[in-house]
Structure formats: C-alpha cells, structure tokens
Amino acid sequence: MPSQTSRAQLLARLDTQWDVLIIGGGITGAGILLEAARRGLRALLIEQRDFAWGTSSRSSKLVHGGLRYLKEGQIGLTRESVRERQRLMDEAPGLVEPQSFMFADYAGRKPGRWLFSLGLAIYDRFAGVKTRAYDRPGELRMLAPHIAEAGLKGGLRYLDAKTDDARLVIRVLQEARNKGGEAINYLACTGLLRDAQGVCGAEVEDRISGQRHTIRAGVVINATGAWADTLRGQIKQPKKLRPLRGSHLLFPFWRLPVAQSVSLMHPADGRPVFFYPWEGATLVGTTDLDHGDLDSEPHITADEVAYLMAALHFQFPALQLTLDDIISSYAGVRPVVSTGQADPSKEGRDHVCWLEDGLLTVTGGKLTTFRVIALDALEQAAKRLGRTLPAMDEAAPLFEPPARLNGHVPLDARPRLSGRYGPLAAQVAANVAEADWQRIPGTDTRWLELSWAARHESVEHLDDLLLRRTRIGLLLPHGGAAHLPRIRALCQTGLGWDDVRWAAEEANYRALIASHYSLPPREQIADWRQPTTQQPASQ
C-alpha cells in the first residue's frame, strides 16, 4: 500500500492516460483492479473515503455459498459461490478460514431435518466434498453449551468459511499493486468527463489536501456498491438499486461461548440468524431492511437490537444475556438490484454489469464471488476499450504464496501473518519487539499489526487503523479506548502525526464509536423477551 511519499508521487501522475479507472475501494473494485493488473492494463482505483469503508468492512464476515439462496431457487449463484469459497480457503488460509455451522433440529421447528439435509447434500455436491453430519443432543451440547433444551432432537452440521472482510480487501489491493495496479484512498470523484463516445474519465478531489485533478481513462468502472445509483445519476440514468441494511452485535466470547456457528430461523419471522466466533469475540447477525440515507454512516437501530436479542434469548435462554453484555454494534448497506419484492430478503443477490453511455456499473453480488464479478466486469470493459484482453489461466492462483517465516515467529502467529500479508509476511515479522507479538486482550489481533499498518497501509485517520486495518474498534469495549495510550506510543511516529493531530483524531474516533458503533439509547430498545419481537419495518 502507498506510503505518504508514494501517495504524493501517485497524485502527481494522475493526469496520465489510464486504461481503466475504477471508482470504489471495496471488494468489488479491488477485485477488478487485481484482474486488470494481471492482464497488463494500466489500472487505477480511487476511493472517496477509506478502502473497505462501506459494505466491505461491515458484512457478516462470511465467505459462503449462500445456503439460503437455494431456498429462493438461486442454484447458479449458490454453485458459483461454493466453488469460489473453496478456492479462497485453498489460496488464502489464515485469512479465509473454515467455519463449522450447526443448525439445531427441534421438534416442530422448520425447516426440519430431512428438508435441510437435502439442501446440504446439494451444497456438498457443488463443493465436491462432504461436510454435512447430524449430531445427537449430547454431542450438540458440547459444541454449543447453554443451547435451548426443550424439544431438542439434535443438529445438522456443515462447513462454510469466514474472513476479516476489510483485511481481505487490503490483501487483494496488495496483490494488485504487486502486479502494477494503483490504488489511492480519500480521492473523491466530483464529476464524470465525457466525449463523443461517452464517459472518458473523472474530475476528482483529494480529501486530504483539497487539491483537484483530472483523470482520463479508456473505460470508467463504477464499483461504488450501494452508492452506484449516485454516479449513474450524473449520466441521467434512473435508479435501479435497493440498498438494504444489515446490522450486527458483538459479544465477548466468554459470555456467548460457541465452538462453531449456530444458525436458526428467527422465531418471529423465519429469517436466518447466526452466532459465530470471530476474531476472539462472538458475532451475531443479521437484519435485512430497506435503508434510506446513504449520505450518513449507517448504524444499528433500537428495533434491530431488540430483534437480534430476541433471537439470542430464544436460542440461549439460560445465558440470560443483557444489553450490558454487548461490546459493540455495526451496520452495513448491501447493494441489491430492486425487483419490487415486498420482502427485502426475497430480492436476488446476483451481480449485474450495466454499460451506459460509456460508464460501466458493476454492483450486487457477494463478497465470496468478487473474482467472478471482476471477470464479468473486464469482459464488458474490453468492449468499451475495443480490444481483446489477454486470456488468463483459470487455474492460476489469485494470491501470491506467502513469504517464508523464520523460526523467531511464534507458531500460532504464522497462519495469521501469512494469510493477511502474503509475500510481505516476513517484512511484517522483522524486528518486532517481544511484547508486540502478544495478542491484544480480548482479540486475536497482535500489537505488531497496528504498527505495521500505521507505517505501510495508507492510514489517514484513526478509524482507518482501528476499524479497518485492525478490528479492535469492534472487538473491545468503547472501541478499545482503554488501549489508546499504548496504541499512540506504537503508532504516532509511523503515522507522522504531531500531538495536536493525534488529539483531534482521538476525539473524532471516540465520537464515531459512541454514535455509530455503540447501542442506541437504552430506553428506545423494546423488551426482546416478548415472543412477538419481529424484524423492524424498513427505514
């Protein structure tokens, strides 16, 4: 990722002609940049905020086939997703990790053992490996202590995968840069350039310095996700997207101990809800609601808190979880193409590519299938460029192999470093103080990850460091405020901030955590112990 010096150098080169300009720094844009760079194209990605600021740091963290999409008849999407999941697990272990899922089988509760088993058989067939199994109640209690006992017959178990979604974006961008692609954050598109053939570039503004630049490209790709209609509006195109909000809660693992993911259909409306171990905590999600205001950072609502707490109370009544147990919350907005369904959850999750007046919009789809989305986008981009792009070996790995780590690296740290940093892992591990190999209490994050990010990963604000390069803003109470003195000692010099800048960044970060990653006012949250607590109406 660019240092401050290379950022300045890249800004100085913006006015050269590019083959591809990608607007949007989430997983879709990053995937397109990587595949374009692999084909030798002069490709540039710009992001108006931070890399992965939007949906790609606020997902459910799952790299999965989308078992529920089978129910909606989306066989092709499920098959494609399962195969991409297998590929990512094979190529990026330590970043994309297997995650066992369990669905408890209760007397009288849908979908029931045999119907669910049929879906799992199809799932396994797509993956080419059998992972499904059925556990008796005694075995189930070992895997999910405190699970509701009444009517428990057993549980179905299967395999999917999980990731740190923001780190996956950073790893893909790292691979793209190694192949000649360029990416820069906090560079906003303020207008599209047009010629006789349509869109041919963009006017941009550096959100750090305020300087303006002009970028020209053979094809401009709109990869802004849920915000894609905003850019399309500049070329007078009607809105086609239905932004949907998904909100989540995080609990200390000791308070909600699950050895694997536990899934259930919410007792109020039958929507799938899950609880699973992630980065040293337990993650609970998700909702699926229409979201209106795309100009402001999304956050969980009081009704969504009550909805998720109702699912927890239903599945783990003995734990007597309360609002005081919650570490943090977060909400993300999914880009879904509207088909007019009354129920947001019934909208399709396939991706789309629209070439309109020279602007190629790529949106929809899933985190898991970012490579397939990128390939479809480049197929359309080639038409705009008027040339055939070089064919690539489909079996060629997406990620370069990780660097060999020396014996001084703790064994339990090696998979994490290899997965997150790949060829840079040995550099990350070099000259690390013994104390910085330790985990930050309550997380799987090691102190050295902070100092590396501060020096090498385009951190412009404190929330970039604590919410996306690392995730301790989600994993620790009050966004990890208790650790800010040590974080300052580790990172301030690498960031190049003076004391005044650090104080301002810390104040802004604390305010952001309080307003968007904490709970709404307690008095607004309904009693979730009532059996009729349904998913709230769309907002």
Side-chain angles (χ1 to χ4, degrees):
M1 305 298 290
S3 65
Q4 289 301 322
T5 302
S6 60
R7 177 186 173 90
Q9 293 171 343
L10 178 54
L11 287 169
R13 293 189 287 110
L14 290 181
D15 60 354
T16 59
Q17 179 72 25
W18 300 85
D19 293 322
V20 181
L21 170 62
I22 302 154
I23 304 173
I27 191 62
T28 298
I32 296 170
L33 181 68
L34 174 55
E35 291 297 344
R38 292 176 73 196
R39 286 158 178 77
L41 296 174
R42 296 193 70 246
L44 170 68
L45 178 149
I46 63 172
E47 163 57 47
Q48 67 173 341
R49 299 182 188 250
D50 187 29
F51 302 126
W53 181 90
T55 312
S56 296
S57 63
R58 306 163 193 261
S59 75
S60 295
K61 323 302 184 195
L62 297 177
V63 176
H64 65 138
L67 186 62
R68 76 181 183 91
Y69 303 139
L70 282 177
K71 179 183 174 184
E72 307 298 332
Q74 295 179 284
I75 304 296
L77 177 60
T78 305
R79 180 191 299 110
E80 185 176 77
S81 300
V82 168
R83 291 175 178 171
E84 290 300 304
R85 178 203 70 190
Q86 291 300 120
R87 180 175 185 142
L88 287 169
M89 284 196 294
D90 291 342
E91 292 190 18
L95 177 57
V96 180
E97 301 176 303
Q99 175 63 58
S100 179
F101 278 68
M102 182 271 290
F103 191 93
D105 179 23
Y106 288 91
R109 192 185 296 183
K110 294 182 179 180
R113 175 180 178 179
W114 301 113
L115 182 59
F116 202 80
S117 294
L118 176 61
L120 291 179
I122 298 172
Y123 210 55
D124 281 351
R125 184 173 182 82
F126 288 162
V129 59
K130 180 181 177 182
T131 65
R132 67 189 185 278
Y134 190 84
D135 295 318
R136 298 299 174 184
E139 299 167 314
L140 204 61
R141 293 186 192 99
M142 294 291 289
L143 296 169
H146 313 291
I147 196 168
E149 297 279 351
L152 182 64
K153 297 164 62 178
L156 293 136
R157 183 160 38 89
Y158 63 99
L159 192 70
D160 252 323
K162 62 184 176 183
T163 191
D164 179 335
D165 48 1
R167 287 304 318 182
L168 180 61
V169 173
I170 297 300
R171 177 72 195 276
V172 173
L173 289 174
Q174 174 189 309
E175 296 286 336
R177 285 181 55 80
N178 288 344
K179 293 175 174 60
E182 299 285 7
I184 187 166
N185 55 354
Y186 294 99
L187 192 65
C189 171
T190 56
L192 295 173
L193 300 177
R194 300 175 68 178
D195 60 16
Q197 284 72 48
V199 174
C200 60
E203 298 285 353
V204 300
E205 180 181 338
D206 185 350
R207 290 287 174 84
I208 306 302
S209 68
Q211 292 182 334
R212 293 178 174 271
H213 304 267
T214 298
I215 304 173
R216 298 188 181 277
V219 61
V220 178
I221 299 179
N222 174 11
T224 56
W227 293 263
D229 275 342
T230 301
L231 207 56
R232 293 178 64 247
Q234 293 191 25
I235 55 170
K236 306 283 193 278
Q237 294 296 324
K239 292 184 178 181
K240 292 184 178 182
L241 298 183
R242 183 178 186 176
L244 299 179
R245 185 177 66 252
S247 295
H248 305 75
L249 300 172
L250 283 99
F251 289 80
F253 182 78
W254 66 267
R255 194 65 182 90
L256 182 52
V258 287
Q260 59 180 4
S261 177
V262 177
S263 305
L264 80 154
M265 299 302 184
H266 198 287
D269 59 9
R271 280 198 69 258
V273 181
F274 57 82
F275 329 102
Y276 77 92
W278 182 74
E279 289 292 304
T282 301
L283 193 152
V284 177
T286 177
T287 57
D288 203 19
L289 298 166
D290 286 306
H291 183 79
D293 183 11
L294 290 174
D295 293 329
S296 302
E297 188 157 354
H299 59 85
I300 198 169
T301 65
D303 288 343
E304 287 175 291
V305 174
Y307 176 81
L308 294 175
M309 290 298 290
L312 279 165
H313 181 68
F314 181 74
Q315 189 69 81
F316 296 102
L319 287 176
Q320 291 294 300
L321 293 163
T322 72
L323 299 179
D324 291 334
D325 294 312
I326 297 170
I327 299 172
S328 68
S329 69
Y330 70 90
V333 183
R334 308 179 186 98
V336 175
V337 179
S338 177
T339 60
Q341 294 281 350
D343 181 356
S345 297
K346 293 190 180 299
E347 295 282 20
R349 262 51 174 182
D350 286 305
H351 70 273
V352 293
C353 296
W354 300 315
L355 186 57
E356 303 161 315
D357 196 17
L359 178 68
L360 176 58
T361 296
V362 184
T363 192
K366 292 156 43 64
L367 178 78
T368 311
T369 57
F370 73 87
R371 186 188 70 91
V372 175
I373 296 171
L375 295 179
D376 284 353
L378 287 178
E379 183 178 341
Q380 295 296 318
K383 298 176 183 177
R384 175 67 176 161
L385 291 169
R387 58 174 149 158
T388 302
L389 300 183
M392 301 296 293
D393 181 2
E394 181 67 18
L398 194 65
F399 298 107
E400 293 295 327
R404 188 171 183 271
L405 295 172
N406 294 330
H408 75 283
V409 179
L411 290 176
D412 61 349
R414 293 182 184 187
R416 184 179 181 91
L417 265 61
S418 294
R420 278 164 168 70
Y421 303 104
L424 298 180
Q427 296 179 47
V428 177
N431 303 315
V432 174
E434 185 175 349
D436 292 344
W437 283 110
Q438 296 175 1
R439 289 185 176 89
I440 300 172
T443 79
D444 290 342
T445 309
R446 296 173 190 264
W447 290 104
L448 65 94
E449 297 174 42
L450 286 160
S451 56
W452 174 267
R455 289 179 284 124
H456 298 290
E457 292 188 338
S458 303
V459 171
E460 299 294 342
H461 296 291
L462 192 56
D463 59 293
D464 301 343
L465 179 67
L466 301 182
L467 287 173
R468 287 172 289 279
R469 302 306 181 275
T470 68
R471 315 312 296 273
I472 62 177
L474 298 177
L475 297 167
L476 297 176
H478 311 295
H483 295 292
L484 284 174
R486 182 169 178 182
I487 293 170
R488 180 176 185 173
L490 271 175
C491 300
Q492 185 174 355
T493 300
L495 290 167
W497 297 349
D498 60 20
D499 290 346
V500 173
R501 173 71 184 276
W502 181 275
E505 290 288 343
E506 183 173 322
N508 291 339
Y509 174 71
R510 288 177 182 269
L512 177 65
I513 292 296
S515 61
H516 289 82
Y517 293 88
S518 302
L519 294 182
R522 301 292 182 95
E523 63 272 14
Q524 297 178 9
I525 302 172
D527 184 0
W528 59 87
R529 299 170 186 84
Q530 300 299 321
T532 56
T533 303
Q534 298 185 15
Q535 183 174 218
S538 295
Q539 300 175 12

